Structures are given as C-alpha cells and as structure tokens.
Amino acid sequence: MLGTRFKLFPQPRFLDDFKEPETVFVSSPAGSLAPGPADDRMYTIFPVDKPRPYGIAPGPGDRAGTLSPPWNGDCHPPAMPDQDGHFDYLEQGTREFEAAHLFGTVRFVLDIWEGYFGRRIPWHSEKRYDRLELTIQPSLENAYSGYGFLEMGGDRKHGGYKPFSLNFDVIAHEVGHAIIYSEVGVPDPDGATGEYFGFHESAADLVALVASLHFNSLVDHLLKNTRGNLYVLNSVNRMAELSGNAQIRIAANDVRLSKFADGWIKEHKLSQPLTGAFFDILVDLFHECLLDYGAIDPHMEDLSDELLATPDYAPVMQKLFDEAFARDPDSFKSALIDARDIMGTYLADTWQRLDRNYFSFADVADAFEAVDAEHTGGRFSKLIRGNFDMRDIGYVEVGPQLEPLRKDSHANSVRTIVPMD
C-alpha cells in the first residue's frame, strides 16, 4: 500500500527557486493518520493562547516553575485528511497546511533515518510520554526539541515573520537533536564536554543535510546550478537558511579545531570543524562514486584534491565539472544519491558506537573510520582520515568553556531538561 502524501518545501519558500512545495510520500499508509495530523508516534497541535513555550519559567515571578506537555488548552482546528487519507490538498497560508507541513517533515525525516539505522528510532521521552507533541508557538523566536515535544516558533529578524514550521532545515535539525538524545543519550552534567554539545549541533545539521538530499527537486536544482562542483555555495550547504544571503551555519567551511585550543564560547561555532570534515568527506565520496560510474577520470579527481583551497580551484575545476556533467548528467545524479546513502548509513552506525560522557571529536572520527572498515574493508579510509586530519581532529584538545552559556545556547536549554525519577 502506498504511503500518505504531503506537500513539503525542500528549502524556505521565500527563495525564488523553492516557492512551490514538492509532493512526497511518507511511510504512514494512506488513511492511517488521524486529524492533526497524528499517529501512534506523534500528534500536531496549534494551541490557542498558550502563555509561553515549554520549559523553565522565564522569571521568579512565574510560579508555574516549568511548563511541559501535554497542552490541555484550546487549539485551532486540526488539519484533516482528504477522503483518501492524504494531506497534500491543503491550501498554503492556512494553519492546517502549516500543521501538516510540520508533521509531514518530521515523519519524512524519521522515515529516512530509520532506513539508515535499519530499525525504529525511539523518542528519548518514551518512558513518560506515549507520543511526541508537535507544537506551533508563534511567540517563540526559536525552535526546540525537548522531552516529549518538538516546538516550532519563527524568525522575525530578517523581514517579517517566517514560521519555522514551514522551514524543512529547522525542523529536520530539531529531529536530529531528538535522534541523538535517543541514540547517544543526554549527558551526565558531571561528564559532559564542550565537544559533546558541538557534536550535537553538527549531528543535527547533518541529519538535515542528508535528509534534504532526498528531495528530487533539490538534487536536480543542486546539480543544475553546480554541475557537480559541490564546493560552490549552494542550497544544500546553507543550513537553516533564513534569507537569500543570511544563514545560521555553513557546512562547507574551513574552520579547524585548533581555533578552539584556548577555549570555546558557543557550541554552534565549536561544531564547525566536525561538520566541515563530514561535508568534505561527502564530497570525496561523491567523487569516488563518479569514478565508479565513469563520469569523471582519476586525473580530474586528483586535480580537485591538489587545487582545493587554492585560487586556481574555481576557474579550473568548474570548467571540468561543466564538461563532465554535460556528458553524463544521469550518472552525476546517481553518484550523489549513492554518496548520500553511504554518508547516512555510516553516520547512523557511528552514532550508535559513541559514549555520551567524556566525549571528544576524535571518538567520532575513530568510530566513523571503524564503520568504513566493517562495510568496505577500509576502502574510504584514506579520504576519511585525511579530512579529519585536515581539521586537526585527533591532534588538538579543545580548551575550557570561557564564558557562561548565553541565552541563545542550546547546550543548557529546554532541550536538556529531563524529569527527575
């Protein structure tokens, strides 16, 4: 039986190339989803007059202490399935479409990553909550994945209100946090390291990046605009994009871990060497797959490695990519999908090997390399180790936390709050 149809925006709809959503199928059989949408894993609500986001009260004057799910107050009408059980008929600009987009994205991302894990991924709150509450809270200028909930606010800093419930990258990033809390765990405060929180942000970005490559329209757009030269700034490596020229983080970066040898302040910054290493590995895997398909020759791959990070890279390599892509665009698409799936599978296997406490980026690198040894006998070992070495991962110890965590930190936020048993 076919799944349930939703319309999702692969990238924010205010970008010219992504004004129209793409129709996707999620794994839920048509007709199985309840109004909301809702299923046995999660339910979506758009509360009316919810006083504040979930979490700790903002000040001592609020005697409520904490606000946690479930929300038992009034809600706007839920999104209803059509007579065949689908949600792709809903009109953009309505609360119902927004709720369906939120649910559909969470289900779509979970389907993808459960495929890579080869099993069901539990919510880390399952001990207390039967289902995850997906909440839309317009007053929240952020988005959080917490214990028993995923709550979406919006952006007001870049011209008008842009709901995060319509932003695939933001939603997928929060699902990524939920996956890591389930699979790696919430760290013991006495054993947590800065690198654990940096890893968390990196992993959440990678969950979003890999998931976005499952949109056919985005893959086609990416290859059409880069001709396979993925180091061109593009829609995939602009994480959680908020406007045409502003984004929260960029996966393609040149930050080394040595930058943090004297200490760190923000976990988002600390995540960049690890995310950058994995993006470089993804590009190298893509090149290896292109070689397998005969779409490029060994000389072109070697030249790409030699010229990387030099002024000659862009003019020389773009011409070669343009010519190779024109000859065999189908192989380029197949190679990118293969590289995507290798990366997703390796990451899922790696995350299951990690210890949440006394954590370092070197642990992640060692686990990733061990996964490759198990899958291929170490076929990609040289490129994997080379990219981690280039980021000083395994050679530099991150310094101490230099300042108290700020208000915008996610390392000490509603995400990390769990009930005391």
Side-chain angles (χ1 to χ4, degrees):
M1 181 182 294
L2 290 176
T4 303
R5 291 196 305 266
F6 286 85
K7 284 187 175 179
L8 306 181
F9 291 103
Q11 290 284 281
R13 59 179 178 163
F14 50 78
L15 298 177
D16 290 340
D17 293 317
F18 296 97
K19 288 185 181 297
E20 294 302 320
E22 180 174 329
T23 300
V24 303
F25 284 89
V26 300
S27 63
S28 311
S32 68
L33 297 180
D39 63 11
D40 63 340
R41 300 288 310 277
M42 52 199 172
Y43 61 96
T44 316
I45 60 170
F46 201 136
V48 175
D49 297 329
K50 186 167 176 280
R52 56 185 172 83
Y54 288 131
I56 298 175
D62 190 332
R63 295 185 179 182
T66 61
L67 183 63
S68 59
W71 169 251
N72 293 314
D74 293 337
C75 292
H76 293 291
M80 304 292 293
D82 65 16
Q83 61 182 4
D84 296 319
H86 301 291
F87 291 83
D88 60 331
Y89 76 96
L90 294 167
E91 292 186 17
Q92 295 181 42
T94 64
R95 292 190 182 96
E96 291 82 0
F97 180 88
E98 195 173 333
H101 190 277
L102 173 56
F103 179 95
T105 299
V106 175
R107 182 70 265 179
F108 186 65
V109 175
L110 199 59
D111 286 346
I112 289 165
W113 283 94
E114 287 186 334
Y116 291 136
F117 276 87
R119 59 171 171 79
R120 177 181 179 275
I121 300 173
W123 304 123
H124 79 293
S125 55
E126 280 191 358
K127 183 177 179 181
R128 183 159 299 201
Y129 294 105
D130 293 335
R131 297 187 295 169
L132 194 73
E133 182 179 290
L134 310 181
T135 309
I136 297 174
Q137 179 75 9
S139 64
L140 173 63
E141 294 192 27
N142 211 325
Y144 290 112
S145 174
Y147 194 85
F149 67 90
L150 190 153
E151 191 158 36
M152 288 288 128
D155 172 58
R156 290 183 172 83
K157 299 175 183 176
H158 299 86
Y161 175 70
K162 299 180 180 70
F164 288 145
S165 47
L166 296 177
N167 190 312
F168 181 87
D169 279 341
V170 171
I171 302 169
H173 180 94
E174 294 308 320
V175 175
H177 281 296
I179 290 172
I180 296 303
Y181 279 132
S182 175
E183 295 298 326
V184 181
V186 180
D188 182 328
D190 294 329
T193 65
E195 283 170 270
Y196 173 83
F197 294 116
F199 155 75
H200 229 293
E201 293 301 327
S202 173
D205 276 345
L206 293 167
V207 164
L209 190 154
V210 171
S212 72
L213 289 171
H214 283 258
F215 284 103
N216 191 58
S217 61
L218 188 143
V219 170
D220 287 343
H221 173 78
L222 169 66
L223 291 174
K224 177 184 176 182
N225 283 274
T226 68
R227 302 297 195 271
N229 182 10
L230 298 186
Y231 281 115
V232 175
L233 188 63
N234 57 63
S235 54
V236 171
N237 63 31
R238 296 165 76 95
M239 304 305 302
E241 187 162 14
L242 299 178
S243 71
N245 59 5
Q247 56 277 343
I248 295 174
R249 290 171 296 280
I250 298 177
N253 66 71
D254 58 2
V255 181
R256 294 172 177 259
L257 199 59
S258 51
K259 179 178 180 180
F260 305 96
D262 294 330
W264 64 280
I265 297 173
K266 290 188 174 184
E267 70 274 19
H268 299 102
K269 297 288 187 182
L270 183 54
S271 75
Q272 288 182 325
L274 189 60
T275 305
F278 277 122
F279 182 78
D280 291 344
I281 290 170
L282 175 64
V283 173
D284 282 343
L285 290 173
F286 175 51
H287 291 173
E288 291 292 327
C289 292
L290 285 172
L291 282 171
D292 291 344
Y293 282 101
I296 65 172
D297 58 37
H299 171 71
M300 181 173 167
E301 186 197 27
D302 291 342
L303 191 61
S304 175
D305 292 338
E306 290 172 14
L307 297 180
L308 188 62
T310 72
D312 294 328
Y313 184 89
V316 173
M317 293 310 303
Q318 191 60 62
K319 183 176 184 295
L320 293 176
F321 273 108
D322 289 346
E323 294 170 351
F325 180 79
R327 288 193 300 268
D328 193 359
D330 290 343
S331 289
F332 269 72
K333 186 171 184 178
S334 296
L336 181 56
I337 291 170
D338 288 351
R340 172 201 75 189
D341 290 339
I342 294 169
M343 177 61 75
T345 300
Y346 278 27
L347 287 172
D349 289 355
T350 294
W351 294 337
Q352 296 175 80
R353 296 165 179 253
L354 301 177
D355 183 348
R356 61 183 180 165
N357 295 315
Y358 310 104
F359 187 99
S360 74
F361 287 176
D363 298 332
V364 182
D366 290 343
F368 195 84
E369 194 170 10
V371 166
D372 176 59
E374 289 189 4
H375 278 276
T376 69
R379 175 188 174 186
F380 304 121
S381 174
K382 183 177 179 181
L383 73 86
I384 289 170
R385 181 50 58 183
N387 281 303
F388 285 125
D389 288 352
M390 211 164 69
R391 302 294 177 143
D392 303 326
I393 293 172
Y395 296 93
V396 173
E397 185 173 337
V398 174
Q401 182 179 336
L402 299 176
E403 296 180 10
L405 295 173
R406 298 176 181 178
K407 186 178 180 180
D408 61 350
S409 170
H410 293 163
N412 184 24
S413 70
V414 63
R415 284 198 187 123
T416 59
I417 298 173
V418 296
M420 293 183 66
D421 296 322

